[in-house]
Amino acid sequence: MSVLAIRSLSKAFGGVRAVNDVTFEIERGEFLAMIGPNGAGKSTCFNMINGQLKPDSGQILFEGSDIAGLEPRAIWRFGVGRTFQVAATFSSMTVIENVQMALISHAGETYELWRAAAELHRDRALDLLSQVGMREAADRPSRELAYGDIKRIELAIALANQPRLLLMDEPTAGMAPRERNDLIALVKQLVVERGTSVLFTEHSMDVVFAFADRVIVLARGRLIADGDPAAIRNNVQVREVYFGTGKTFAGVPQ
Ligand code: ADP
Ligand code: MG
């Protein structure tokens, strides 16, 4: 059974059909890229899956349960995680405190308990920080971190919740090409170890083709292609949407 099955999902804003009758699935452990030009409907799709937007119609089946229209918190409890949503309190805490908070939240413990027990989950938090290459920064104030390092902490926070599906809408926005590649490589390594499924958007085609198991393509709200990276790279309709007929993905600016 697929982890996520999207069936005939639609959402309009006024006259704009942002997501129009979209159907696709994600298998367990799959690293699935969603690509498409700006305004294609990618974020609208993500926001319906994570509960920030209610669909006009269609189904969102997570492990067989229809989560369409549920509150974000309920969907999160089902096991759908997302990066990169930094808490308002992020910069007021140290790096490890942020990860400990996520672990406390996942365990269903209360904030009051946290106040009484600063050591709570410290070992697990350190382990997660090691996995994202940030153990040395554990006791630093989060506000001092460089942008790329914040992304790594956010990844540790997302993994603290042990999601079975991780949603990442433009996780590498604002990063240099090398950093993009490194972050997505890290995400892939960590989710493969856990068997977590991932749906992500990414502007760099190099990164998409290097790491995605499968690629789906949206254009003007419609799903126009679904296949492995090689098939998408050679798909005529996809090339037309991006660059006009005949051109290839090689050398595409990000
Ligand atoms: P993408 O993430 O692929 O760039 P979006 O999902 O953000 O695309 O947007 C899809 C379409 O829906 C665009 O035409 C956009 O202008 C429109 N849209 C998105 N969100 C809203 C909103 N909250 N209100 C009105 N129009 C929106
Ligand atoms: Mg978007």
Side-chain angles (χ1 to χ4, degrees):
M1 185 179 72
S2 56
V3 168
L4 189 78
I6 302 288
R7 304 231 195 280
S8 299
L9 194 64
S10 296
K11 178 78 185 176
F13 298 105
V16 178
R17 294 183 148 186
V19 171
N20 190 357
D21 197 21
V22 164
T23 295
F24 66 91
E25 297 195 359
I26 306 179
E27 299 303 319
R28 184 158 310 282
E30 196 169 36
F31 206 65
L32 178 64
M34 176 187 278
I35 67 170
N38 281 336
K42 303 183 298 296
S43 293
T44 303
C45 220
F46 271 79
N47 290 336
M48 287 192 281
I49 300 169
N50 69 36
Q52 284 184 296
L53 279 176
K54 296 199 190 306
D56 293 340
S57 57
Q59 287 182 312
I60 304 172
L61 300 169
F62 178 66
E63 296 175 342
S65 303
D66 194 353
I67 59 169
L70 296 185
E71 295 299 322
R73 177 110 197 132
I75 291 173
W76 177 84
R77 270 199 227 99
F78 262 95
V80 180
R82 63 184 160 126
T83 59
F84 285 89
Q85 297 280 316
V86 179
T89 52
F90 182 85
S91 58
S92 68
M93 294 193 279
T94 65
V95 167
I96 195 162
E97 283 168 353
N98 273 297
V99 180
Q100 284 173 285
M101 280 296 287
L103 288 165
I104 286 167
S105 172
H106 177 63
E109 293 155 351
T110 64
Y111 190 70
E112 284 68 33
L113 181 58
W114 154 257
R115 285 185 177 281
E119 293 303 303
L120 205 59
H121 302 307
R122 188 175 165 94
D123 290 346
R124 282 185 58 210
L126 280 172
D127 185 39
L128 276 167
L129 287 173
S130 299
Q131 293 179 49
V132 300
M134 292 296 293
R135 196 181 201 280
E136 304 304 309
D139 293 308
R140 283 176 54 196
S142 300
R143 75 174 70 84
E144 289 178 4
L145 295 178
Y147 187 67
D149 290 342
I150 291 176
K151 297 284 188 181
R152 287 169 182 268
I153 304 306
E154 289 174 348
L155 180 58
I157 289 170
L159 293 176
N161 292 318
Q162 299 181 5
R164 295 188 299 289
L165 170 66
L166 185 57
L167 304 171
M168 304 194 305
D169 189 5
E170 298 202 38
T172 67
M175 298 177 97
R178 175 67 192 274
E179 272 187 312
R180 286 170 181 250
N181 197 82
D182 291 353
L183 183 70
I184 297 298
L186 175 66
V187 173
K188 181 147 188 187
Q189 178 208 323
L190 294 177
V191 299
V192 164
E193 287 168 3
R194 291 165 166 76
T196 308
S197 309
V198 174
L199 176 66
F200 73 109
T201 62
E202 167 60 46
H203 284 297
S204 165
M205 292 303 162
D206 288 342
V207 172
V208 167
F209 291 136
F211 295 105
D213 295 323
R214 215 175 92 225
V215 183
I216 57 178
V217 187
L218 286 188
R220 297 186 181 198
R222 289 211 173 257
L223 193 134
I224 62 164
D226 180 342
D228 64 36
I232 295 298
R233 193 192 280 272
N234 295 314
N235 182 298
V236 173
Q237 206 184 349
V238 174
R239 286 195 209 173
E240 276 175 8
V241 161
Y242 272 89
F243 331 102
T245 315
K247 296 185 182 165
T248 70
F249 280 104
V252 176
Q254 291 164 14

